[in-house]
Amino acid sequence: MKYAAIVLLFSLPLMGCADFGIGPQASSQFLPPDPKTQMAALETRIAALIEEQRLKIDPNAKPLALDPELVRVARERATDMAEKNYLAHAAPNGDTSATLLMAEDPKFQGLLGENLAAQHYVKQSGVDVEQFAQRFLDEWLKSQPHRQNLAFADYDRTGVGAAVNGDTVYVAQLFASDMGIKADRDPSSGVTEFSSAEAARSAADSAANPARALADPLRLRGAQGGPN
């Protein structure tokens, strides 16, 4: 989908990627379904759990709508991590969710955040969608940056991608908000990182002040992963 003309795009330093294991092996006499066939269901369940948790943390948080662009980019990121066996906010070739999103939609504007995680499984146990979705949520909630990211009340769009390789499920969840910024900005502006979504909101508030904008014009576009 297309949004309004480019204004500002804020980015969170996307911190802390979780990697955690699974429980005992199931009997080899009853092999579970191919995990690849369960990724779509896992994406759906993660999105639902995150939505429930946001409202528990902040009842005034905006509801998250599934955005087709964010879903495509999240799946691309998860697939790339699975195929190349890494867990990081920048791919080996330098691609990030922000660069992929802006390549698909040059008019994207606003704040983009990302939570990543990976979870091992064994063939005999397979992937239990409910159990794995809950574990991803639990691990993100244990990490303050992840928790703050998923709970940021201004986010109103999301996309979840899940992919699997030989023994690991990779998940990427993207969050986005236009922050209500409508001022016209230079579309050639570079990527800017913020320490938190709240810091991005403060910058957006400053940009909305005409006097501040003239004295210190913000040229923010794109989002880029920070330390893992």
Side-chain angles (χ1 to χ4, degrees), residues 133-210:
Q134 188 64 53
R135 284 176 175 170
F136 281 120
L137 172 63
D138 290 344
E139 289 302 311
W140 282 336
L141 291 176
K142 291 176 186 177
S143 163
Q144 192 66 12
H146 284 95
R147 180 186 176 91
Q148 291 175 344
N149 206 23
L150 68 86
F152 185 58
D154 285 347
Y155 285 140
D156 57 11
R157 304 189 298 280
T158 191
V160 182
V164 62
N165 68 6
D167 66 352
T168 307
V169 176
Y170 293 86
V171 167
Q173 181 164 17
L174 303 181
F175 305 91
S177 169
D178 65 12
M179 304 292 285
I181 302 169
K182 302 302 180 184
D184 190 17
R185 292 289 173 181
D186 184 351
S188 65
S189 299
V191 172
T192 300
E193 293 184 4
F194 288 89
S195 59
S196 68
E198 292 296 338
R201 185 191 317 205
S202 295
D205 291 342
S206 295
N209 183 321

Side-chain angles (χ1 to χ4, degrees), residues 54-173:
R54 276 170 56 81
L55 294 177
K56 288 180 181 178
I57 296 172
D58 183 354
N60 295 318
K62 293 181 179 179
L64 293 174
L66 281 176
D67 184 299
E69 284 183 343
L70 296 182
V71 170
R72 283 193 293 272
V73 172
R75 286 176 174 170
E76 187 170 349
R77 292 286 291 116
T79 298
D80 193 67
M81 289 189 294
E83 291 178 347
K84 298 174 183 175
N85 296 305
Y86 72 93
L87 186 64
H89 294 287
N93 68 356
D95 282 343
T96 66
S97 292
T99 60
L100 294 173
L101 182 58
M102 289 188 296
E104 180 172 317
D105 183 359
K107 292 185 177 181
F108 177 82
Q109 62 182 2
L111 172 66
L112 180 68
E114 178 181 65
N115 281 352
L116 304 179
Q119 182 173 176
H120 292 299
Y121 75 95
V122 293
K123 185 176 181 180
Q124 290 86 349
S125 299
V127 173
D128 181 291
V129 168
E130 184 65 30
Q131 184 182 69
F132 271 54
Q134 188 64 53
R135 284 176 175 170
F136 281 120
L137 172 63
D138 290 344
E139 289 302 311
W140 282 336
L141 291 176
K142 291 176 186 177
S143 163
Q144 192 66 12
H146 284 95
R147 180 186 176 91
Q148 291 175 344
N149 206 23
L150 68 86
F152 185 58
D154 285 347
Y155 285 140
D156 57 11
R157 304 189 298 280
T158 191
V160 182
V164 62
N165 68 6
D167 66 352
T168 307
V169 176
Y170 293 86
V171 167
Q173 181 164 17

